[in-house]
Amino acid sequence: MSDAFTTRVLHITSGRRERVVDLTRDCEAFLREAADGRDGLLNVFVPHATAGIAVIETGAGSDDDLLAALHHLLPADDRWQHRHGSPGHGRDHVLPALVPPHATLPVVNGRLELGTWQSVCLVDTNKDNPDRTVRLSFLGGG
């Protein structure tokens, strides 16, 4: 594989509850090896039909606010056509339309270019699937 493109898969246990999982440190660790001081792009992708990637502030309540907003927009009740799994699970399949399963972020001098309060997060409302994979891919200049 070319050193212009490097990829790694993270294995995340999100548990049996709705969660926002901060992946920023994992992204930074990956870039220390993959980017090696170069400029490029980091793509973060979750290959699941019921999870998304968000760039959001964490630790000050915004992650809980995001889950509350998703509960308001996508209630876990019987209105959903998609009906397998736990009650209201159909809403989990709508989540990626609002919180996409990917984010592409700039990397400058090997470092992730995030704002002061931004974090890269896995958003997982699916209580039925506690094990997730997240693919990190760096595309960099030579």
Side-chain angles (χ1 to χ4, degrees):
M1 183 179 305
S2 164
D3 63 344
F5 179 80
T6 307
T7 190
R8 175 177 299 154
V9 174
L10 303 176
H11 298 278
I12 307 294
T13 301
S14 56
R16 298 259 180 218
R17 62 184 176 90
E18 298 175 2
R19 290 201 44 213
V20 175
V21 180
D22 192 338
L23 304 174
T24 308
R25 287 189 179 145
D26 295 302
C27 292
E28 291 168 341
F30 169 69
L31 288 172
R32 278 192 293 278
E33 296 174 27
D36 193 29
R38 294 176 295 152
D39 294 349
L41 296 171
L42 173 67
N43 182 265
V44 184
F45 176 70
V46 56
H48 298 279
T50 59
I53 300 294
V55 177
I56 187 172
E57 178 181 9
T58 58
S62 296
D63 35 354
D64 291 332
D65 289 342
L66 173 59
L67 291 175
L70 290 171
H71 248 276
H72 180 73
L73 291 170
L74 305 171
D77 59 22
D78 64 356
R79 73 183 70 199
W80 308 102
Q81 299 298 312
H82 190 107
R83 294 187 185 267
H84 77 83
S86 60
H89 173 65
R91 76 174 189 127
D92 299 326
H93 288 272
V94 177
L95 173 77
L98 301 176
V99 181
H102 58 86
T104 300
L105 305 162
V107 176
V108 177
N109 295 324
R111 297 180 54 98
L112 193 55
E113 284 289 299
L114 292 173
T116 301
W117 304 111
Q118 290 179 315
S119 296
V120 181
C121 299
L122 169 69
V123 179
D124 189 358
T125 60
N126 183 357
K127 301 176 201 174
D128 296 340
N129 186 359
D131 300 308
R132 300 298 189 163
T133 58
V134 177
R135 179 169 294 278
L136 306 178
S137 300
F138 174 72
L139 180 62

